[in-house]
């Protein structure tokens, strides 16, 4: 729904910098763009009652992931980074092709924290 070519030039390209001004700190206001939540959880009287809980859980998961893990490109046998394939798979729900990445705990303390969280859920 946010793929309006009049609002977003090249909407299918991953370009987070499009939302920042030249100083790379100030957010650009896009007049006709809606927040992702308005599309994912419905509109008006049909809005999902779990919208706020889902949004908070997404934030907690993202914050925990970024605080405890280093995520980067996978490397081959010679140590050269493997570039991900940025093409999408066709279908009713469009999603990117699977790609390899390297995920490591930022520290032994972060690894222990993640293990403890997994044990609490299991």
């Amino acid at each position: 729904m946010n793929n309006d070519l009049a609002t977003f030039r090249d909407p299918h390209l991953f370009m987070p910098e499009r939302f920042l001004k030249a100083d790379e700190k100030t957010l650009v206001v896009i007049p006709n763009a809606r927040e992702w939540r308005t599309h994912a959880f419905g509109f008006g009287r049909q809005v999902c009652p779990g919208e706020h809980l889902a949004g908070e859980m997404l934030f907690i998961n993202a914050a925990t992931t970024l605080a405890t893990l280093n995520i980067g490109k996978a490397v081959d046998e010679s140590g050269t980074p493997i570039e991900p394939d940025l093409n999408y798979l066709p279908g009713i729900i469009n999603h990117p092709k699977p790609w390899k990445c390297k995920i490591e705990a930022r520290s032994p303390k972060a690894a222990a924290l993640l293990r403890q969280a997994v044990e609490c859920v299991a």
Side-chain angles (χ1 to χ4, degrees), residues 3-119:
N3 291 340
D4 181 14
L5 291 173
T7 304
F8 296 100
R9 186 177 52 90
D10 299 325
H12 296 288
L13 291 180
F14 179 71
M15 295 173 34
E17 64 275 7
R18 79 174 82 209
F19 299 104
L20 295 175
K21 292 187 178 179
D23 65 2
E24 297 183 356
K25 294 178 183 169
T26 309
L27 291 175
V28 172
V29 176
I30 301 171
N32 298 323
R34 293 184 173 176
E35 288 191 31
W36 66 272
R37 291 181 134 162
T38 60
H39 304 310
F41 294 100
F43 303 90
R45 293 178 64 177
Q46 299 299 320
V47 69
C48 175
E51 172 186 4
H52 300 291
L53 177 63
E56 297 303 320
M57 290 305 297
L58 280 172
F59 176 79
I60 290 169
N61 286 333
T64 302
T65 299
L66 294 173
T68 58
L69 299 172
N70 288 323
I71 304 171
K73 293 179 183 177
V75 293
D76 61 15
E77 300 81 29
S78 64
T80 306
I82 300 171
E83 293 296 325
D85 183 0
L86 301 178
N87 293 313
Y88 282 76
L89 295 172
I92 294 174
I93 299 176
N94 198 6
H95 59 279
K97 291 182 177 181
W99 70 90
K100 293 183 179 184
C101 65
K102 181 179 176 182
I103 302 174
E104 298 176 323
R106 289 183 180 258
S107 67
K109 187 174 180 180
L113 183 68
L114 290 169
R115 269 192 233 95
Q116 182 182 4
V118 169
E119 290 171 3

